[in-house]
Amino acid sequence: MAVPLRFSTPAPSSRLEEIIPGSDRIEELSDSSGEYEDMGTATVEEQAHIAYLNSVRIPITDSLETATSRMDDKTAEIILPFLEGNPDGFTLNTFGIPKLQRESHAGALEAFLGDYPARVAFMDASRPWIVYWALQSLTALGIDISAYQKRVAHTFSLAQHPDGGFGGGYGQLPHLACTYAAILSLAMAGGTETYETINRKTLWHFLGRMKQADGGFTMCPGGEEDIRGAFCAVVILSLTNLPLELPPDAPARKRGLTSFTDGLGEWISKCQSWDGGISAAPGNEAHGAYAFCGLGCLAILGPPKETLPKYLNVPILINWLSSRQCSPEGGYNGRTNKLVDGCYSHWVGGCWSIVEAATTTGLWNRTALARYILSACQDEEAGLRDKPGKNSDAYHTCYNLAGLSAAQHQYKYDENVNKGLGTGNLGAAYHWKTEGVYDGKNNVWDEGDVVKTIHPVFVIPYMSVYEMRKYFEEKEGF
Ligand code: FPP
Ligand code: K
Ligand code: ZN
C-alpha cells in the first residue's frame, strides 16, 4: 500500500540551535549516518543524549512564525532538559533514563481511590472515571487490585440507574461515559457477584435509547451524538454480550433500524476528516482521542484488516497519526498545531496496534514515546502528567501508562487466538495476543520499567476482558 510520507526540510542550523540548545554539537557527537559507535568516554547520560539527538534528527518546522509556532518552540525548550538530563534527580536505568517510579505512582493511585475533600465535590459526576483510571493504572503497574473488589461492586451498584446504565453516583442520570467506566471497572474487579450487579436487561434498553437513526449514539438522553458514544456502546455491548437486536422500545426502530450495528461503520466513516484524522462527529476537527474511539469501535465491529479499509482511508489516516508524534519531544499531540501531552501516549499511541493489525508494523517511533513518558511525564512527587510544569492526575497516569504499554509490547491480532471465545456478537476483539516486548534501536527501558500488558481495544488487562465476556457468553438470558 502506498503511504504518503511527510518529509522534513532540514532547518537552518541557527534555527535548530534556537530549538535544541546545543544542537550545533550534533555532528560532533554523532556521524551523519546516525550511528554513534565512537562514544569514547561519554557517560551513560551523555550517551543517552546522543542517542536521542540521533533518533529525532531535525525538528520539523517551517519559516512562518506564529503565536502557535512560538508556543510549540517554548514547549520544546521546557521539555528538552528533561529528555537530555535528569532535573528531578530520579534514579536512572541503564540507558540513563529515569526508571519507572513504581512505588510513588502506586501511592498516588491509592490516594485517588480514597476520600476527597469537599472542595472537589464538582468532580462527583466523574467518579466512575476516577475509579477506572486508578484501577487500570494499578494493574498496569502489576499491583493486585483484589482488595478493591467489594468496594467497586458496591460503588457501581449505587450508581446504576433504575432505567438502565450508570451515572456518576447514586441518584445521578445515566450517561454512556459513566457506563463505560463502570463496566471496565467492574470487569477489572472481577468475580460472579461483581458481574451480577450489572442489570443487563435495563442496560440493553438504555443503550437502545442512545442509538440514533443515522447509525451513531448519543452520550445520554437528549445529549450530544459523538464518536465516544459509538465506542462506549460497542465496548459495553461486547463485554456484557448483549443481544445486537435493538430493544422493541428503541426510538431508532421507528426509523427502520433493527440492530445496534446498523449504519454504525458508515457513521464512523463520516467522522474521518479531510486530513485523514478522526473527529467527534462528521465535519469536526480531527482529534487523537476521537481517533482511538473510532478505531476501537471498528476493531470491535470486526477484524481490523476488514473493518479499517472498509470504513476508512487508511493511508491518509496513517499520515495524520504519524504527524501527531512531536519532534523533538517524542510524545504525541492530539491535533494539528497543538502541544505534546502525555495522555495522547495512549489516545494516539494506542491507535497503532489497531492500525498495524490492518496494515504493516513498524509505523511509529516507540522508543521516542517511551522516552517522553519516562523522562518528561513522571511527576517528581508521584503520578504521571501532561508535561513538565503540569500536575499529575489519575487520567494522565492511566493514559501515560497505557501508552507506555503500547510502546513496549507488541500486540497482534490473530483470529486463531481464543477460538472458543467471541464467536457470537461483536466478538472480533477477543482474538488479540501479545508477541513479546519490543526490542528496537535506541531502546530506553530496562526490564524493571516494563508495564503489564493491556488489551489494545478495551484498555484493561486481557484476563479481565476474557473473564467478563466468557461469563456472559455462558449465561442464559439476561
Ligand atoms: C481537546 O482538549 C480534547 C478533546 C476535544 C477530546 C477529549 C476526549 C477524550 C480525552 C476521550 C474520550 C474518550 C472516551 C472513551 C469517552 P484540549 O483542547 O484541552 O486539548 P488539546 O490542546 O490537546 O487538543
Ligand atoms: K514541536
Ligand atoms: Zn492530557
Side-chain angles (χ1 to χ4, degrees):
M1 174 193 306
V3 175
L5 293 173
R6 192 162 165 255
F7 295 101
S8 64
T9 320
S13 55
S14 57
R15 172 91 175 112
L16 190 59
E17 175 57 22
E18 262 170 44
I19 300 164
I20 310 182
S23 62
D24 53 329
R25 290 179 58 232
I26 292 180
E27 281 183 25
E28 259 172 56
L29 296 168
S30 63
D31 68 37
S32 56
S33 68
E35 296 297 321
Y36 46 94
E37 277 153 37
D38 184 24
M39 292 221 214
T41 55
T43 65
V44 164
E45 280 180 45
E46 282 163 355
Q47 289 179 31
H49 170 102
I50 295 164
Y52 184 65
L53 290 176
N54 276 339
S55 74
V56 296
R57 297 195 204 98
I58 311 291
I60 299 165
T61 54
D62 58 37
S63 53
L64 180 67
E65 234 193 84
T66 63
T68 305
S69 76
R70 279 191 290 274
M71 181 94 92
D72 198 24
D73 291 350
K74 181 99 195 87
T75 301
E77 234 173 80
I78 293 169
I79 292 171
L80 271 165
F82 288 81
L83 301 176
E84 297 174 346
N86 180 24
D88 288 331
F90 285 126
T91 50
L92 300 177
N93 67 20
T94 58
F95 300 96
I97 303 283
K99 287 183 179 172
L100 180 62
Q101 308 291 308
R102 294 173 177 277
E103 290 75 21
S104 65
H105 301 327
L109 293 163
E110 272 151 32
F112 292 140
L113 288 167
D115 291 334
Y116 286 74
R119 68 184 151 77
V120 290
F122 70 90
M123 283 193 358
D124 194 40
S126 301
R127 191 192 303 202
W129 276 120
I130 296 167
V131 174
Y132 163 67
W133 295 325
L135 292 177
Q136 168 47 34
S137 301
L138 286 167
T139 67
L141 292 172
I143 294 166
D144 175 23
I145 58 160
S146 57
Y148 293 104
Q149 189 184 48
K150 287 209 157 60
R151 271 179 67 194
V152 173
H154 180 67
T155 294
F156 290 110
S157 62
L158 292 176
Q160 189 160 217
H161 194 275
D163 299 334
F166 294 79
Y170 180 77
Q172 297 184 30
L173 294 170
H175 193 281
L176 255 183
C178 294
T179 308
Y180 165 86
I183 297 296
L184 294 181
S185 301
L186 291 166
M188 282 188 282
T192 302
E193 277 179 55
T194 309
Y195 298 152
E196 284 301 327
T197 61
I198 303 168
N199 187 332
R200 288 165 67 247
K201 184 81 189 279
T202 56
L203 179 58
W204 183 58
H205 285 277
F206 168 67
L207 294 171
R209 291 193 292 278
M210 299 305 101
K211 179 72 179 180
Q212 302 300 300
D214 65 3
F217 289 80
T218 54
M219 294 304 291
C220 60
E224 68 277 30
E225 180 186 19
D226 65 45
I227 205 161
R228 294 171 305 158
F231 176 57
C232 293
V234 293
V235 163
I236 297 159
L237 287 164
S238 176
L239 283 174
T240 61
N241 194 35
L242 284 171
L244 272 195
E245 302 89 71
L246 286 169
D249 61 346
R253 276 202 176 269
K254 295 204 183 73
R255 307 281 299 275
L257 276 64
T258 56
S259 164
F260 278 108
T261 55
D262 282 353
L264 184 53
E266 290 77 8
W267 189 86
I268 300 286
S269 201
K270 286 193 272 179
C271 292
Q272 185 168 30
S273 53
W274 62 273
D275 56 357
I278 299 177
S279 61
N284 288 9
E285 181 189 7
H287 194 280
Y290 301 130
F292 185 80
C293 291
L295 291 170
C297 182
L298 293 179
I300 291 173
L301 285 177
K305 241 186 177 46
E306 291 169 22
T307 55
L308 266 59
K310 181 166 180 199
Y311 295 113
L312 298 172
N313 178 331
V314 178
I316 61 167
L317 170 71
I318 291 172
N319 181 272
W320 184 88
L321 288 171
S322 300
S323 307
R324 305 278 66 74
Q325 192 155 22
C326 297
S327 176
E329 297 93 338
Y332 282 92
N333 66 12
R335 44 183 166 148
T336 305
N337 278 329
K338 298 224 66 183
L339 304 175
V340 66
D341 176 342
C343 64
Y344 302 127
S345 305
H346 164 72
W347 294 119
V348 183
C351 288
W352 288 118
S353 305
I354 300 172
V355 168
E356 290 190 344
T359 56
T360 183
T361 56
L363 296 176
W364 60 299
N365 193 332
R366 291 164 177 262
T367 55
L369 176 63
R371 170 184 281 261
Y372 179 68
I373 296 168
L374 292 170
S375 300
C377 293
Q378 300 197 87
D379 185 283
E380 55 269 46
E381 299 289 332
L384 290 101
R385 63 192 174 195
D386 163 347
K387 61 174 67 65
K390 304 274 184 181
N391 293 326
S392 65
D393 55 47
Y395 166 83
H396 286 93
T397 302
C398 173
Y399 294 119
N400 265 297
L401 292 176
L404 187 56
S405 130
Q408 292 173 331
H409 298 283
Q410 306 182 88
Y411 300 124
K412 292 269 157 72
Y413 187 81
D414 180 351
E415 60 195 8
N416 294 314
V417 160
N418 264 322
K419 270 191 142 65
L421 195 67
T423 51
N425 299 329
L426 301 178
Y430 300 93
H431 308 298
W432 285 86
K433 65 178 181 187
T434 303
E435 255 191 9
V437 173
Y438 176 78
D439 183 17
K441 247 178 72 171
N442 299 338
N443 207 358
V444 296
W445 62 78
D446 282 329
E447 227 175 280
D449 308 312
V450 176
V451 293
K452 292 287 175 199
T453 60
I454 298 173
H455 191 286
V457 177
F458 294 110
V459 201
I460 53 174
Y462 274 80
M463 281 315 286
S464 309
V465 167
Y466 295 151
E467 282 174 8
M468 181 177 256
R469 171 75 182 207
K470 187 166 185 288
Y471 182 81
F472 289 124
E473 277 192 6
E474 284 166 3
K475 193 176 156 90
E476 304 267 344
F478 286 105

